[in-house]
Amino acid sequence: MKKGQVSWITGASSGIGEAVAQLLAAEQHKLILSARRRDELERVKSLCIQAGAKAEDVYVLVLDMTGFDAMEQKVQEAHGQFGRIDFLFNNAGISQRSLCVDSELHTYRKLFEVDVFGQIALTKLVLPVMLEQGSGHLSVTASVAGKIGVPYRTGYCAAKHAMMGFFDALRAEVARENIYVSTVTPGFIRTNISNKALNGDGSEFGKMDQDIQTGMDVHRAARKIVKGWKKGKAEIPVGKGVEMHALWIKRFFPKLLQKIVARKAAPV
Ligand SMILES: NC(=O)c1ccc[n+]([C@@H]2O[C@H](COP(=O)([O-])OP(=O)(O)OC[C@H]3O[C@@H](n4cnc5c(N)ncnc54)[C@H](OP(=O)(O)O)[C@@H]3O)[C@@H](O)[C@H]2O)c1
């Protein structure tokens, strides 16, 4: 991660993406900010300028991660803006707050379209650019839910596990190509993630749940993520709660973890 590099952030209109954008702006990255809401992206662009970026170095590129037909043209637009793409942060995502028995198949499809196929489609289009350049960095915001299964998140856990597998496998494929692949595995971070999460019928959950409310401050999380990239870490855990212990409990005491998680039957 070098000053002045071209960094493309998805999910840049809010939460983790917004906070990371400001940190990279302060380090003179040339930024491409993507999400669906242009007005929110323009707001984040202003914050990036306040953080030290030049206005001409921050490009707002509206992108729906489920707009697969338009994606090739969007990648050309992003590439054309600064002539290269050094870093892609696949961070856009939505979560879930519903039991399997109450979740409709179209809700699972929506989660997978945004959290899995959107990331794969974009990564597949940016990878040739990086191979041609002879360098690059691909990162994804997975989750602790991409390493353990928790109630009310069957679709989200499945999607994030898929992303861990995809990017771990991709890392091995591009290991000799000077392309660095990292996965970010947050626990609970205080953002809009639960407000925008899907109920079983696909409607918005619409509130900040307790775990997110008491989660890590998003700017602190962003600092940890950027520090992890700078250290060249393959996997970057970030969070402050008990959920961060789940990974080693799973490894050494798998039955204990199953009991703890099963007790956590209420989402709010
Ligand atoms: N917060 C946590 O506790 C936590 C924990 C683990 C993992 N994560 C992951 O962190 C990532 C960022 O989430 P966050 O916590 O920062 O939540 P957030 O504040 O809700 O941000 C989500 C971002 O994703 C974008 N997005 C959602 N659907 C999209 C679509 N169809 N196309 C394009 N962009 C879309 C949103 O922008 P628009 O609405 O403008 O499109 C927004 O910028 C997600 O992948 C999430 O799963 C979060």
Side-chain angles (χ1 to χ4, degrees):
M1 178 137 296
K2 293 189 193 108
K3 283 190 177 189
Q5 72 174 40
V6 178
S7 297
W8 187 359
I9 302 171
T10 71
S13 64
S14 173
I16 294 172
E18 172 179 341
V20 165
Q22 289 170 77
L23 287 182
L24 300 189
E27 301 201 3
Q28 280 75 56
H29 286 226
K30 292 181 171 56
L31 291 170
I32 301 161
L33 305 179
S34 287
R36 290 166 302 177
R37 291 170 295 163
R38 179 178 290 281
D39 50 343
E40 289 302 309
L41 290 171
E42 293 293 348
R43 179 185 61 76
V44 176
K45 176 174 177 171
S46 304
L47 293 174
C48 289
I49 293 167
Q50 280 173 36
K54 292 186 200 141
E56 64 268 27
D57 285 347
V58 186
Y59 185 65
V60 166
L61 177 59
V62 172
L63 173 71
D64 184 338
M65 295 304 293
T66 66
F68 303 109
D69 293 343
M71 219 173 250
E72 190 170 355
Q73 184 266 322
K74 294 282 182 182
V75 172
Q76 282 170 8
E77 190 179 336
H79 189 204
Q81 188 58 30
F82 300 114
R84 52 189 296 122
I85 303 170
D86 297 300
F87 173 45
L88 172 63
F89 185 27
N90 282 291
N91 169 71
I94 46 170
S95 190
Q96 175 191 16
R97 294 293 185 272
S98 56
L99 292 172
C100 176
V101 71
D102 299 325
S103 299
E104 294 172 28
L105 192 56
H106 68 82
T107 302
Y108 285 104
R109 283 195 198 282
K110 175 79 188 288
L111 285 162
F112 267 70
E113 295 275 286
V114 179
D115 292 350
V116 178
F117 291 112
Q119 320 297 341
I120 292 176
L122 189 59
T123 300
K124 267 182 62 60
L125 288 163
V126 171
L127 181 58
V129 175
M130 293 183 172
L131 288 169
E132 176 75 27
Q133 286 169 181
S135 67
H137 176 185
L138 296 161
S139 191
V140 67
T141 313
S143 175
V144 167
K147 314 243 343 167
I148 58 167
V150 291
Y152 292 86
R153 312 274 202 284
T154 47
Y156 185 68
C157 287
K160 294 298 186 179
H161 274 71
M163 285 297 83
M164 289 302 294
F166 179 91
F167 281 94
D168 283 350
L170 182 61
R171 178 182 304 115
E173 286 188 11
V174 298
R176 291 194 191 87
E177 308 287 352
N178 196 27
I179 295 177
Y180 160 41
V181 177
S182 60
T183 52
V184 179
T185 56
F188 299 118
I189 314 295
R190 207 158 52 251
T191 69
N192 279 328
I193 192 78
S194 69
N195 294 71
K196 301 282 179 182
L198 303 183
N199 291 314
D201 63 2
S203 59
E204 269 185 17
F205 183 64
K207 47 185 181 276
M208 189 176 281
D209 61 28
Q210 179 77 24
D211 289 328
I212 298 298
Q213 182 77 58
T214 56
M216 183 185 260
D217 170 73
V218 71
H219 293 285
R220 189 172 156 212
R223 285 194 295 276
K224 280 204 80 166
I225 293 168
V226 173
K227 201 170 167 187
W229 289 328
K230 286 183 176 171
K231 284 186 174 168
K233 284 191 172 182
E235 190 172 314
I236 305 169
V238 50
K240 67 174 176 118
V242 284
E243 77 278 9
M244 302 317 288
H245 302 303
L247 302 179
W248 68 262
I249 299 176
K250 180 178 179 177
R251 187 160 176 204
F252 296 109
F253 309 102
K255 282 190 179 161
L256 173 65
L257 185 75
Q258 284 159 22
K259 278 189 191 160
I260 294 170
V261 170
R263 249 185 263 137
K264 198 173 163 46
V268 288

